[in-house]
Amino acid sequence: MSNTGSKLSGKTNLSSFINGLWKHLLIVIICISVLFPIYFMVITSVKTQGQYLNNIWAISFPFNFLNFGEAFKGRFLLWFKNSAILTFGSTVLATFFASLMAYAFARLKFRGKNGILSSIISLMVIPPAVIILPIVVLWSKIGLINTYAGAIIVYTGLILPFSVYLLTNFFRTIPTEIIEAAVIDGCSTFQVFRLIVLGLSKPAIFTNIIVNAVWIWNELFVAMILLPNEKMKTLMVGLAVFKTHYNVNVPVIMAGLIIATLPMAVLYLMGQNFLIKGLIVGYGK
Amino acid sequence: MNRIRIWFGKNEAAWYLSPGISVMAFVFLFSIARVIQLSFMRIAKTADEVDRFVGLSNYRLILTEKPFIEAIKHNALLVLIVPVILVFLSILISSILFDRIRGWKFYRSLIFLPYILAIPVVGIAFTYIFQLNGILNTVLRFLHLDFAALNWLGSPKIALYTIMIVIIWKEIGFGVILFLARLSSVNEEIFEAARLDGANWWQVLRYITIPQLGTIIEFYIVIEAIMMFSWVFNYVFVMTAWGGPGTSTYILEFYIWLNAFRFNNMGYATTAAVILLIFTSLLIFIWMRLRNRRESGYE
């Protein structure tokens, strides 16, 4: 482990080679453990049940894509539609409300600003299990249980704190000079917001949409409680049902898991850099 | 009405804040106030009963409930173990990747992959991986590591730890990305200087990397600790049969859900929810203090 010699000595070359080797080894081992479950999901989804039982860990040829067709039977498309409506509705609503609020926090002066912002940010970490009970009782009384509207209101509320935090951080980075110039040119506060702030913040707004869309698409607990009806189930809740239904037919279940993952995987690949940037700005500087 | 209009006119910000604030006020303020209120009531189970105020009796009863105590114990184990392992692994991985070993960007993308998968998807896949004759045990037996081929989810002694493994598998990417980003913003010269002075890998890690990561490590620990209180339900729900075997994977969220929606016992459910709120509030308090310190430190 000695790396104490001068940079020019041959010994350092050898030890730096060994240094590089153990790092590579370790990272490769970690990557294999990370990939192993994903490998299992993918190879199993194209096996027949017989192939799965015969040889659990090898890739079997020819690929059997019938599992995907089998998975799509039943209610998969319905669950897909439900998840898509909820994800779209809540994300758009929350991003709109949050950008208004973030603008006020980043650019306007008012009393109690920091206090309000801090309180909102701290809401980010309130567990859904704490707030869901009174809501479900109220929703049952006024008929909002099993409705898109009922779930969208709750989801919007749950993702607002993070959205406000993220967008406020971004809006603060817009140079004051640009805004001052716009004001001198006669823009009203709302025009500044609409033309300048939103115009310059497309990456931020895009990040916010991706992060929240992934979150809602993947959410199980709230969806299960607010949308228990068979016809209103989301994809994630449906998957749990699906698992019990096909319990022994593992390849079909894996095919279902892959189908459920694809939309968000595509969204993620489209915005990978935005997402990583968003997480960094959102959580740590 | 007129008064309100005048006030809004003078306070421009109110226009921007009120739509969002009203949604949050309902989802958070109303619910929290109401859940606290309900925890002091005996809640009607049939139509001809009415809710009655019963003071602290729900709290007294719940503290003698064995499943409730189990649930708290399991949350405590999760909070004590998972964030520590996550920090350890994240430091290790991010400092190796930060040395810019060949292909580090590729490795980074791979390690981040599980973070974007849904918990139910991950949970279901792992249920089959951890089966007694599942792929993991098959591989372990092939490698003649039979002693390690455990009954991962079927044994009450290890089921909770198996869930921890899955959580760590899924959450590790977030830590690595966060730490790497922090390291990239540190002046490269500090590391160069240390290496020129002959510091070995361990010394750089111990005296440069970890101190530079300081605040973000604290931050990550608190965030993950909060997760261990508020986001473990999904794993337990899809990976175990009703928090089983027995009560070995009960956690607070699961206990709340079970009492509210399966046992029709809203009294216990709301009381447990308030206790969960108390635990997370403590963590939120710590988190806000760290955040304020960080912000004042950087500006």
Side-chain angles (χ1 to χ4, degrees):
Chain A
M1 284 271 94
S2 95
N3 202 358
T4 43
S6 120
K7 263 211 141 178
L8 298 168
S9 80
K11 197 179 149 205
T12 317
N13 273 338
L14 182 69
S15 80
S16 79
F17 173 73
I18 292 167
N19 246 326
L21 198 68
W22 76 260
K23 285 177 197 165
H24 268 280
L25 259 175
L26 202 66
I27 286 292
V28 168
I29 291 171
I30 288 165
C31 283
I32 289 174
S33 350
V34 165
L35 282 184
F36 179 70
I38 298 169
Y39 164 83
F40 171 72
M41 255 166 74
V42 175
I43 62 148
T44 307
S45 73
V46 289
K47 280 178 179 176
T48 64
Q49 211 178 350
Q51 286 168 331
Y52 173 74
L53 295 172
N54 262 333
N55 192 338
I56 202 166
W57 58 315
I59 302 171
S60 311
F61 296 100
F63 293 152
N64 167 34
F65 289 106
L66 293 177
N67 296 324
F68 289 88
E70 178 70 29
F72 259 114
K73 277 186 203 158
R75 298 182 187 269
F76 239 86
L77 284 175
L78 184 69
W79 298 333
F80 233 96
K81 188 191 87 184
N82 291 338
S83 283
I85 293 174
L86 291 177
T87 304
F88 183 80
S90 327
T91 316
V92 168
L93 206 61
T95 306
F96 177 60
F97 287 175
S99 52
L100 286 171
M101 294 179 79
Y103 176 61
F105 286 124
R107 288 292 163 230
L108 301 181
K109 287 198 182 81
F110 54 94
R111 245 197 317 174
K113 186 160 92 169
N114 289 332
I116 300 173
L117 184 60
S118 294
S119 320
I120 290 175
I121 291 168
S122 68
L123 293 179
M124 214 156 100
V125 284
I126 299 280
V130 171
I131 56 131
I132 202 70
L133 300 176
I135 293 178
V136 82
V137 172
L138 181 68
W139 269 195
S140 315
K141 265 188 208 141
I142 61 176
L144 277 176
I145 210 95
N146 281 320
T147 62
Y148 295 127
I152 287 176
I153 294 172
V154 176
Y155 275 136
T156 305
L158 283 172
I159 60 180
L160 262 173
F162 173 77
S163 310
V164 171
Y165 184 35
L166 187 75
L167 293 178
T168 305
N169 277 348
F170 267 106
F171 289 178
R172 277 183 181 155
T173 62
I174 296 172
T176 339
E177 294 81 39
I178 300 181
I179 291 172
E180 276 164 5
V183 173
I184 291 166
D185 287 348
C187 280
S188 70
T189 317
F190 189 73
Q191 279 172 322
V192 170
F193 167 71
R194 199 166 53 91
L195 301 170
I196 314 291
V197 177
L198 290 191
L200 291 175
S201 304
K202 280 191 191 108
I205 286 166
F206 191 58
T207 306
N208 191 52
I209 288 175
I210 293 186
V211 173
N212 287 320
V214 171
W215 189 84
I216 293 174
W217 186 270
N218 292 348
E219 206 283 332
L220 174 79
F221 183 71
V222 174
M224 194 168 85
I225 292 169
L226 294 182
L227 305 163
N229 187 302
E230 211 41 59
K231 290 204 170 114
M232 294 301 290
K233 281 194 162 75
T234 65
L235 194 53
M236 290 303 142
V237 182
L239 277 181
V241 179
F242 182 72
K243 183 197 158 202
T244 358
H245 187 246
Y246 281 97
N247 194 16
V248 286
N249 198 341
V250 184
V252 173
I253 294 172
M254 293 305 143
L257 295 184
I258 288 176
I259 297 171
T261 305
L262 277 181
M264 290 305 117
V266 170
L267 195 61
Y268 167 72
L269 284 177
M270 271 164 44
Q272 186 181 18
N273 291 328
F274 283 131
L275 183 65
I276 290 175
K277 212 186 287 169
L279 287 172
I280 291 162
V281 176
Y283 286 109
K285 286 187 210 174
Chain B
M1 211 48 218
N2 228 343
R3 260 231 198 103
I4 295 174
R5 204 173 301 136
I6 291 166
W7 187 82
F8 263 76
K10 266 194 282 182
N11 297 276
E12 210 179 9
W15 290 105
Y16 292 88
L17 296 179
S18 42
I21 293 227
S22 23
V23 179
M24 281 189 275
F26 167 71
V27 170
F28 294 102
L29 292 186
F30 158 78
S31 308
I32 289 173
R34 182 93 177 116
V35 84
I36 293 172
Q37 187 198 10
L38 288 175
S39 74
F40 295 115
M41 316 265 272
R42 190 190 176 282
I43 296 152
K45 288 185 182 172
T46 56
D48 39 79
E49 282 180 77
V50 279
D51 298 352
R52 255 181 323 115
F53 179 80
V54 291
L56 284 171
S57 98
N58 280 329
Y59 289 86
R60 258 196 302 269
L61 284 170
I62 209 175
L63 289 173
T64 61
E65 265 257 309
K66 213 172 156 259
F68 177 77
I69 303 297
E70 285 280 295
I72 293 218
K73 222 173 72 191
H74 297 149
N75 273 115
L77 280 172
L78 284 161
V79 167
L80 289 176
I81 298 174
V82 175
V84 174
I85 298 182
L86 277 173
V87 163
F88 173 78
L89 286 175
S90 303
I91 293 176
L92 183 72
I93 298 172
S94 62
S95 60
I96 291 178
L97 293 183
F98 185 67
D99 285 346
R100 302 283 185 267
I101 59 170
R102 193 176 300 157
W104 70 276
K105 274 193 171 161
F106 174 69
Y107 294 133
R108 184 187 67 173
S109 300
L110 280 189
I111 292 168
F112 190 65
L113 207 56
Y115 189 71
I116 61 155
L117 299 179
I119 298 174
V121 167
V122 168
I124 292 172
F126 270 102
T127 326
Y128 293 99
I129 290 168
F130 282 126
Q131 270 177 340
L132 205 48
N133 287 311
I135 186 168
L136 180 66
N137 281 353
T138 310
V139 171
L140 287 171
R141 286 191 198 111
F142 176 79
L143 297 171
H144 298 288
L145 297 167
D146 292 64
F147 68 91
L150 302 168
N151 189 2
W152 297 98
L153 286 164
S155 150
K157 279 208 182 96
I158 53 175
L160 186 70
Y161 297 96
T162 304
I163 291 177
M164 289 186 193
I165 294 175
V166 180
I167 296 175
I168 291 166
W169 179 83
K170 178 156 158 50
E171 290 288 316
I172 187 70
F174 180 45
V176 171
I177 292 282
L178 215 56
F179 289 9
L180 260 179
R182 178 76 188 94
L183 286 177
S184 315
S185 69
V186 175
N187 192 344
E188 196 87 31
E189 284 166 19
I190 304 178
F191 292 97
E192 276 309 308
R195 283 193 202 102
L196 282 179
D197 285 344
N200 64 31
W201 187 81
W202 166 248
Q203 286 166 328
V204 172
L205 184 70
R206 170 74 185 76
Y207 295 104
I208 315 265
T209 312
I210 293 178
Q212 288 293 341
L213 284 173
T215 51
I216 202 123
I217 291 177
E218 290 170 356
F219 180 75
Y220 183 58
I221 288 184
V222 178
I223 286 278
E224 289 299 333
I226 291 168
M227 295 277 284
M228 291 306 105
F229 274 114
S230 50
W231 281 114
V232 185
F233 175 90
N234 295 345
Y235 294 98
V236 172
F237 184 75
V238 295
M239 290 180 65
T240 72
W242 304 94
T247 54
S248 60
T249 53
Y250 269 42
I251 42 149
L252 271 174
E253 291 165 274
F254 191 76
Y255 182 87
I256 293 168
W257 178 80
L258 211 56
N259 276 285
F261 302 106
R262 286 297 174 268
F263 302 160
N264 191 22
N265 192 345
M266 270 290 184
Y268 276 12
T270 49
T271 308
V274 173
I275 291 170
L276 176 59
L277 179 67
I278 295 170
F279 283 131
T280 33
S281 302
L282 286 175
L283 289 166
I284 292 168
F285 177 73
I286 299 173
W287 183 52
M288 290 316 276
R289 296 210 39 181
L290 291 179
R291 203 180 80 85
N292 288 339
R293 211 177 66 199
R294 250 152 48 86
E295 300 227 315
S296 52
Y298 280 96
E299 276 169 18

